[in-house]
Amino acid sequence: MFDNARNDLHTLRDCLRFAVTHFNEAGLFFGHGSDNAWDEAVYLTLHTLHLPLDRLEPFLDARLLPKEKSALLRIYERRVQERIPAAYLTKEAWLGEHRFYVDERVIVPRSFIAELLDEQLSPWIEDPWQVETALDLCTGSGCLAILAALNFPEARVDAIDLSPDALAVAKKNVDDYQLQERVRLIESDGMNALGDERYDLIISNPPYVDAASVAALPPEYLKEPELALGSGEDGLDFTRRILAEAKARLNPGGILVVEIGHNRDVLEAAYPQLPFTWLDTAAGDQYVFMLRQEEL
């Protein structure tokens, strides 16, 4: 199907139309940077042709070389037939203006905490320069640890993950951002390997998918490490560990920021005594909570 189309496609516009048609026909799931077939086709096309990712003009009606058409058809075919998330095909993911290397060893970055870090957690942190220690729990690709280091200029950041494969990816990103002196990567099950360390800020985008949702995940999500997705029957197993351990790991006045997906109602029912503050993100105030050290 894809090879047969080669002689009928001439311009970038032709290839985009072809990709959108086949992405929709295949019933692809979009949730790793794009939410529709058009945006996914544009991203994969511009990336593959080494064109600016934010600009279709003046390229739309430019005629493509045979090798360019071959490269586009190859990446479209893999997206359709193998159901591989676009980020794994291009080996990159974006959080705002920040690019990170990713591959199948880590979950594709898509945390709402990223936008909160770019706002330096204002107004909850009054002076970003006063944050001296931070912890990113379940760091994966290291993206949130890196954003924490960039937005809190005096902070030393510890980044923890249980997976040595994930930490290898995180190391590449830390090196790319030249933050080796400020971001320390630690292999640990939760906070077990931290000794007596305490922090001004703890952030975490932990596994939070409940068992029923894991069973119903589309093929694209099944390409991600299972360890980074499911967290028990109600999706809160790891969040419970965080809530049990965080108080002893925070400095007085320190704050805990955790993403929990669609589990707000379940979490509040499980911890009616905790005064969660739900932080506003582009998607609403249902997904990320904050607690101060004295509230835990």
Side-chain angles (χ1 to χ4, degrees):
M1 171 179 62
F2 288 86
D3 282 340
N4 292 339
R6 190 183 315 271
N7 294 331
D8 297 320
L9 303 176
H10 305 291
T11 65
L12 190 149
R13 188 189 300 273
D14 292 339
C15 289
L16 282 174
R17 199 280 310 154
F18 177 86
V20 171
T21 295
H22 287 283
F23 289 179
N24 283 328
E25 278 186 356
L28 298 186
F29 186 87
F30 307 104
H32 296 93
S34 305
D35 63 6
N36 62 81
W38 169 256
D39 288 344
E40 187 107 328
V42 168
Y43 167 66
L44 287 173
T45 299
L46 294 176
H47 179 277
T48 302
L49 296 179
H50 307 289
L51 295 172
L53 296 181
D54 60 350
R55 190 180 311 156
L56 278 173
E57 295 292 353
F59 309 114
L60 268 174
D61 293 306
R63 293 179 67 86
L64 297 173
L65 298 172
K67 67 177 183 179
E68 293 175 325
K69 285 191 283 185
S70 295
L72 289 177
L73 289 170
R74 185 162 55 249
I75 201 165
Y76 298 160
E77 184 174 23
R78 293 198 68 198
R79 182 68 183 91
V80 167
Q81 295 190 354
E82 300 178 47
R83 299 293 290 267
I84 298 173
Y88 291 156
L89 291 171
T90 62
K91 305 300 183 192
E92 70 175 19
W94 292 81
L95 290 175
E97 298 179 353
H98 304 283
R99 178 194 178 278
F100 300 97
Y101 172 86
V102 297
D103 60 31
E104 287 85 351
R105 292 174 290 177
V106 295
I107 194 170
V108 177
R110 49 186 179 275
S111 176
F112 296 121
I113 294 175
E115 63 185 86
L116 299 170
L117 290 174
D118 280 341
E119 296 168 358
Q120 297 175 305
L121 284 166
S122 176
W124 314 109
I125 292 178
E126 294 182 3
D127 184 358
W129 293 84
Q130 294 299 310
V131 177
E132 297 181 351
T133 52
L135 169 66
D136 176 23
L137 188 57
C138 307
T139 195
S141 62
C143 55
L144 295 184
I146 289 167
L147 292 180
L150 295 176
N151 286 288
F152 300 107
E154 295 297 317
R156 173 181 58 78
V157 182
D158 285 345
I160 284 179
D161 206 281
L162 177 62
S163 166
D165 284 341
L167 291 172
V169 175
K171 182 181 186 302
K172 176 172 176 54
N173 284 315
V174 169
D175 291 348
D176 286 347
Y177 279 85
Q178 299 182 354
L179 287 169
Q180 301 94 326
E181 300 300 315
R182 295 181 51 217
V183 177
R184 179 173 63 158
L185 301 173
I186 303 170
E187 183 181 342
S188 177
D189 182 0
M191 305 185 206
N192 292 346
L194 285 177
D196 58 358
E197 295 281 355
R198 295 174 73 103
Y199 302 92
D200 299 322
L201 170 65
I202 297 175
I203 57 175
S204 185
N205 181 24
Y208 55 65
V209 183
D210 62 51
S213 297
V214 167
L217 286 173
E220 283 83 353
Y221 282 118
L222 298 179
K223 301 293 185 182
E224 296 183 292
E226 184 179 354
L227 184 69
L229 295 172
S231 191
E233 190 64 28
D234 64 0
L236 294 179
D237 281 6
F238 201 88
T239 301
R240 288 187 179 91
R241 289 185 60 184
I242 295 172
L243 291 172
E245 300 173 13
K247 186 177 182 70
R249 293 295 181 183
L250 283 167
N251 291 321
I255 67 172
L256 169 70
V257 176
V258 180
E259 184 166 334
I260 50 89
H262 295 279
N263 294 330
R264 175 173 175 171
D265 291 344
V266 178
L267 182 67
E268 289 183 323
Y271 293 91
Q273 77 282 12
L274 288 181
F276 296 105
T277 297
W278 294 93
L279 305 184
D280 284 324
T281 71
D285 64 354
Q286 302 288 313
Y287 307 105
V288 181
F289 72 77
M290 184 200 74
L291 288 166
R292 296 192 180 277
Q293 193 263 0
E294 56 271 22
E295 295 171 334
L296 284 156

